[in-house]
Amino acid sequence: MTELKNDLLLKALRKEKVSRPPVWMMRQAGRYLPDYIKLREKYDFFTRVQTPELATEITLQPVHQIGVDGAIIFSDILVIPQAMGVEVLMEEGKGPSLPKTILTQKDIDTLNTANAEHHLKYVCDALSLTKKELNGSVPLIGFAGAPWTIFCYMIEGKGSKTWDKAKQFAYTQTELTHQLLQKITIITIDYLKAQIKAGADCVQVFDSWAGALSPEDFKIFAQPYLLQIADAFKDDAPVILFPKGCWYALKDLSNSAASGIGIDWTISPQFARELTNNNITLQGNFDPAKLLAPIPQIKKWVKEMIDAFGAQNYIANLGHGITPNVPVDHAKAFVDTVKEYRIP
Ligand code: CP3
């Protein structure tokens, strides 16, 4: 196995001392990068995801062009419903759609939870190829969607601002909801294990829509499944949980088997440290919209953010995915500022 030349990200996740914090950006592969947009004109979304050479090329773009300290594999969270036997379409510019939503016990019974490694072999192949191409330069990050977020798409069939159908299902068919969440959890653990076997050095679980739930409901429908996933990897590889919008869960999650927690910009670094008793690595929390401000302003804010979190037990990142309208030199200014940071 090639030794990593830059293992800042893994050091931060292991709470080891670093010379500066590592930095990467959620959704760094794709969207705003001109070379990605060129590939998008030639190949449709799932061709890009399912062709290891293309997925590798897209994964490496931000490493080479922006200089991030970690490569996140180019894929999507909705490959899990596909592996479970559910059709997922991606309409350019419109987002995902799942024509057949889950409605009944029978729908749940027919869902596959086995052999993630086989059904998602193309992701594993992309990871192995990317690992090889990285040649030890930076760690490789695998990922999956969290059970609640995947459940949302499987019930609604598309994105939603309120997720009211998913919540209606959860509140009226609670037993079926837990069955489905559990099935998603089982295949997700299997899938993330396969990703690690294929070369991922750590994994992130995106609970993008957990913030649609109240704190009480988060504890019922999201947290137990996030904890199951974190537990399954405690002797395996570091797990970063990203329950967007759920600052109230920080205390509980900081006592879990996870190595890191991603946070968004709705909580201050100081308060996040207080809630987690400084005992877990925090990741975040720059508002991606701030990347639209002038570069000198971005640099000032990034430095203030690191000062507020402290340089140890910290991974500089955005508080959610980078948006397609961010100029590349602004994204680079974000990353450069972290790399120039000197510990006071
Ligand atoms: O971080 C990375 O750069 C790796 C690639 C990645 C993609 N999707 C590629 C993608 C990752 C980590 C994801 C995760 C994902 N996918 C999430 C969780 C993260 C988040 O932002 O909250 C969610 C909710 C999805 C579902 C999804 N996929 C949506 C809602 C959309 C459409 C809108 C959009 O642009 O995000 C996608 C499509 C998608 N997945 C694109 C990319 C680069 C854009 C489509 C395109 O470029 O053609």
Side-chain angles (χ1 to χ4, degrees), residues 27-29 31 36 40 45 48 75-76 92 208 320:
R27 311 297 297 270
Q28 66 189 20
R31 291 176 138 192
Y36 173 78
R40 192 166 63 186
F45 184 73
R48 274 172 269 143
S75 183
D76 199 78
E92 298 297 336
S208 306
H320 199 189

Side-chain angles (χ1 to χ4, degrees), residues 30 42 69 84 122 139 158 164 299:
K42 271 173 76 182
D69 295 311
M84 296 178 89
Y122 59 85
K158 56 182 190 307
D164 54 299
K299 297 194 99 113

Side-chain angles (χ1 to χ4, degrees), residues 22-82:
V23 57
W24 66 283
M25 294 180 296
M26 286 188 275
R27 311 297 297 270
Q28 66 189 20
R31 291 176 138 192
Y32 64 105
L33 284 176
D35 286 339
Y36 173 78
I37 294 163
K38 275 189 224 146
L39 282 177
R40 192 166 63 186
E41 281 156 12
K42 271 173 76 182
Y43 308 98
D44 69 35
F45 184 73
F46 283 113
T47 304
R48 274 172 269 143
V49 168
Q50 290 165 8
T51 311
E53 291 73 18
L54 289 175
T56 296
E57 183 180 341
I58 297 168
T59 303
L60 296 175
Q61 284 171 358
V63 179
H64 296 151
Q65 296 174 20
I66 316 279
V68 285
D69 295 311
I72 181 160
I73 192 68
F74 180 77
S75 183
D76 199 78
I77 61 169
L78 296 171
V79 300
I80 279 290
Q82 287 175 329

Side-chain angles (χ1 to χ4, degrees), residues 145-162:
W148 168 257
T149 289
I150 297 299
F151 170 90
C152 281
Y153 283 104
M154 291 177 83
I155 300 294
E156 299 258 354
K158 56 182 190 307
S160 164
K161 283 208 163 71
T162 55

